[in-house]
Amino acid sequence: MTETVYDMVILGAGSGGYAAALRGAQLGLKVALIEADKLGGTCLHRGCVPTKALLHAAETADAVREAAAVGIKAAFEGVDMPGVQKYKNSIVSRMHKGLEGLVSSRGIDLIQGWGRLVAADVVEVDGRRITGRNVVLASGSYSKTIGQEISGGVITSEEALEMDHVPASAVILGGGVIGVEFASAWASMGSQVTIIEGLPHLVPNEDEAISKQLERAFRKRKITFRTNTMFESVERHDGGVTVRTQDGKTHEAEVLLIAVGRGPATANLGYEEVGVAMDRGFVLADEYGRTNVPGVWAVGDIVPGVQLAHRGFAQGIVVAEKIAGLDPTPVDDVLVPKVTFCEPEIASVGLSEAKAAEIHGKENITSAEFNVAGNAKSQILGTQGFVKLVSLKDGPILGFHAIGARMGEQVGEGQLMVSWEADADDVAALVIQAHGAGTEALPLRSGVTRASMLHWQLREVNRLAGAVKSQAYSGYSSNSAASGVSAASAPATRSAQSVASAYSGYSAGSAASVYSPASVVPSAAEASAARSLLEDTPISEVSSQPVAGLLPSAPSPEADAAETSAATAV
């Protein structure tokens, strides 16, 4: 019997591997897909999907606790973790079965077993040699353990996803994506959480403004974190673990979750023996996934760069198309969107402000933040945060950074802007945000994009200082040029909270806003006070104290609430 020679043999059936297989088969290639575990890999079974199911369960717990705030009667009785596990596993199972059906329908040969590269065109699986004109390495990644034994109360994300109860307390080593997602989920389910992070901020790969906002949110949620703190050791005992840090402090908890990232799963797979160039376990490949060995390709977490399932998926498609003779656009890591599904949610794509300044020069970079407090959908969801755009002065948008509820749903628009290398005017001419949607937090059809964004922001803050003062004395509301309240009867005071809300309620898309009368010229002190409110203080943290130099005194809480409501009305 003649041995089958495949056009493409893929070692690893995770996101990158199965994407390459599906696209290759679609293009008429004969494909073999090799997997020792389950089709779908880490993302589907031990990573992205089950983690998001856990986070949704945690979000539901929060929603029940807070139901009374929206007029719904409900009582939170606790977390049935076996029930959560059943829910999570049902999601994974349905996705797995769907993927199996899709692979089968494409005529892909799925080969179960542990594969090892033994030649540039041969993968050996349990003694069977699988030959291909092209071999794609897609063996994925593993949870780093920094030399610690995973046992007792010391776990990784894989063990955390299988727990049959919510830990009463947890120390999480690592404040990156994995760490803050588990911290968020467990805190919502009632756990006392402490994060240990060696770098100066949580989610250190995000824009610094995002990191600071997340830290404020975590403080409010009573999630403890220690940044600039290095792990030293862990001791297991009957009650859990004692974690020691290099600053001499100890932390007691039921579990220690090690969440310091993932390493490339390339050991003992024959890559180096065949001559594939490696660096600290990673496979070196060019922008099209080609290694230094002709006919051998690599995709996903084993290739240096951001370790994200959708990045690996996209790379798999590029490799399949290249093998099939097409001319695909390579994957640029800078343009890969990132979402961290903690509460509040984080989404970003492109360059951070610091990275943009490093590349282009600080003097050539401008940025602007748009607080979501003036967005109706965000008010409904009770979220806080902002959308930040980074751009070249008089040039393209370089980065989109957002934090707040459901911001992951907005990152596609940010990715389009950044990938397109669009400048402000390009986008503004094409986009009208749907009213009532969270995307209104990014007011693209306005002066915010038609002029230098930073200059717009400062100009509008200056206008605000006088406009709010004018509004406080004239009784204007944000949705009426004449509210029917006379100057004599209007409240003569406005609190800092109302000032902040008034700015947030500014209708950037309006041709004429009552918040920006051209005739109002604020004093330096007024402008400074408004800037302080905008740049330094989350709206929820603004007190009812008067703004020095802006307004004489604070109104009663009832009057303040009424004014705030009017200021944010749309």
Side-chain angles (χ1 to χ4, degrees):
M1 183 176 177
T2 304
E3 179 186 13
T4 299
V5 177
Y6 293 91
D7 296 309
M8 187 163 56
V9 173
I10 303 166
L11 182 53
S15 301
Y18 76 71
L22 291 169
R23 182 59 173 145
Q26 188 179 50
L27 294 171
L29 302 179
K30 180 65 175 175
V31 180
L33 181 59
I34 300 166
E35 176 57 53
D37 194 8
K38 295 179 179 179
L39 177 63
T42 294
C43 177
L44 178 54
H45 299 284
R46 303 177 299 280
C48 319
V49 174
T51 303
K52 303 316 167 277
L54 181 69
L55 283 159
H56 180 64
E59 180 184 25
T60 303
D62 285 334
V64 173
R65 287 192 192 94
E66 298 161 5
V70 296
I72 302 298
K73 295 181 179 180
F76 180 71
E77 297 180 356
V79 177
D80 171 18
M81 204 59 192
V84 173
Q85 289 290 350
K86 182 179 179 181
Y87 160 71
K88 180 203 74 177
N89 293 337
S90 70
I91 299 296
V92 172
S93 178
R94 286 198 297 273
M95 298 294 291
H96 180 224
K97 289 178 180 177
L99 183 56
E100 284 183 320
L102 185 59
V103 167
S104 176
S105 70
R106 294 283 175 85
I108 297 164
D109 289 345
L110 179 61
I111 300 171
Q112 291 290 148
W114 186 268
R116 177 182 169 84
L117 187 68
V118 296
D121 60 348
V122 179
V123 175
E124 189 174 86
V125 183
D126 299 330
R128 175 187 172 190
R129 293 171 68 87
I130 313 297
T131 303
R133 297 180 182 89
N134 297 274
V135 175
V136 181
L137 309 178
S139 46
S141 60
Y142 64 90
S143 295
K144 292 181 179 179
T145 61
I146 57 172
Q148 299 299 313
E149 178 185 348
I150 302 304
S151 65
V154 180
I155 62 177
T156 68
S157 59
E158 294 180 20
E159 291 76 27
L161 283 169
E162 299 303 322
M163 292 185 72
D164 60 3
H165 67 284
V166 179
S169 57
V171 171
I172 298 177
L173 184 57
V177 174
I178 298 171
V180 300
E181 286 189 347
F182 273 97
S184 185
W186 281 345
S188 292
M189 292 180 171
S191 183
Q192 297 294 314
V193 178
T194 299
I195 303 172
I196 305 297
E197 169 57 51
L199 294 175
H201 291 289
L202 298 180
V203 288
N205 290 328
E206 297 292 342
D207 188 273
E208 187 174 339
I210 297 290
S211 295
K212 290 180 177 179
Q213 179 69 17
L214 179 65
E215 289 167 1
R216 283 193 288 265
F218 272 18
R219 288 189 191 100
K220 291 178 184 177
R221 296 186 60 196
K222 310 302 182 186
I223 298 174
T224 302
F225 56 90
R226 302 281 184 262
T227 54
N228 286 314
T229 303
M230 301 301 293
F231 169 81
E232 183 172 276
S233 65
V234 58
E235 177 184 335
R236 299 165 180 79
H237 49 76
D238 290 342
V241 295
T242 300
V243 179
R244 291 181 172 82
T245 50
Q246 291 182 8
D247 58 5
K249 295 181 179 179
T250 61
H251 306 271
E252 302 288 339
E254 180 182 337
V255 297
L256 168 65
L257 169 61
I258 300 178
V260 293
R262 300 183 64 83
T266 56
N268 303 315
L269 294 178
Y271 299 173
E272 291 176 296
E273 290 84 343
V274 174
V276 175
M278 311 279 287
D279 179 21
R280 295 170 295 171
F282 289 97
V283 176
L284 301 181
D286 70 7
E287 60 185 351
Y288 291 104
R290 296 174 294 204
T291 72
N292 63 307
V293 177
V296 178
W297 310 68
V299 300
D301 286 358
I302 64 172
V303 178
V306 293
Q307 292 180 312
L308 295 169
H310 47 285
R311 179 241 197 184
F313 189 95
Q315 288 176 329
I317 292 173
V318 167
V319 165
E321 291 182 348
K322 196 70 177 175
I323 289 172
L326 303 182
D327 185 24
T329 300
V331 176
D332 183 346
D333 279 4
V334 173
L335 304 181
V336 174
K338 299 178 292 182
V339 181
T340 303
F341 292 88
C342 55
E343 172 54 42
E345 197 166 282
I346 297 168
S348 65
V349 62
L351 300 178
S352 67
E353 185 169 4
K355 191 64 177 179
E358 177 185 327
I359 294 172
H360 299 285
K362 186 175 181 179
E363 69 281 2
N364 298 315
I365 298 300
T366 183
S367 67
E369 294 180 11
F370 312 103
N371 199 304
V372 303
N375 172 255
K377 185 68 171 182
S378 297
Q379 290 286 339
I380 292 166
L381 295 174
T383 192
Q384 298 169 21
F386 58 85
V387 176
K388 176 177 179 177
L389 297 182
V390 177
S391 72
L392 282 174
K393 290 180 179 177
D394 301 317
I397 297 167
L398 302 175
F400 168 97
H401 309 275
I403 183 168
R406 305 182 187 177
M407 283 300 181
E409 310 304 323
Q410 298 194 36
V411 75
E413 189 169 319
Q415 183 187 24
L416 178 61
M417 290 188 292
V418 176
S419 299
W420 181 20
E421 296 184 355
D423 65 24
D425 290 339
D426 292 332
V427 182
L430 298 176
V431 178
I432 300 175
Q433 301 293 0
H435 183 47
T439 52
E440 282 191 299
L442 187 59
L444 294 172
R445 278 190 76 85
S446 67
V448 71
T449 55
R450 293 191 183 279
S452 168
M453 289 180 290
L454 181 59
H455 294 165
W456 177 90
Q457 184 185 41
L458 294 177
R459 183 174 69 247
E460 293 306 315
V461 169
N462 283 337
R463 288 181 178 179
L464 163 70
V468 170
K469 183 176 181 180
S470 174
Q471 182 191 10
Y473 284 89
S474 66
Y476 276 1
S477 70
S478 63
N479 64 347
S480 173
S483 66
V485 180
S486 68
S489 63
T493 58
R494 179 172 282 284
S495 71
Q497 184 175 1
S498 297
V499 172
S501 296
Y503 177 77
S504 301
Y506 173 79
S507 177
S510 174
S513 168
V514 297
Y515 288 163
S516 55
S519 61
V520 175
V521 181
S523 68
E526 290 171 337
S528 176
R531 283 195 189 93
S532 177
L533 281 171
L534 174 69
E535 297 173 356
D536 299 333
T537 311
I539 284 180
S540 64
E541 296 179 357
V542 177
S543 71
S544 296
Q545 300 304 311
V547 183
L550 182 58
L551 298 167
S553 61
S556 68
E558 294 77 15
D560 181 63
E563 287 191 79
T564 301
S565 177
T568 57
V570 177

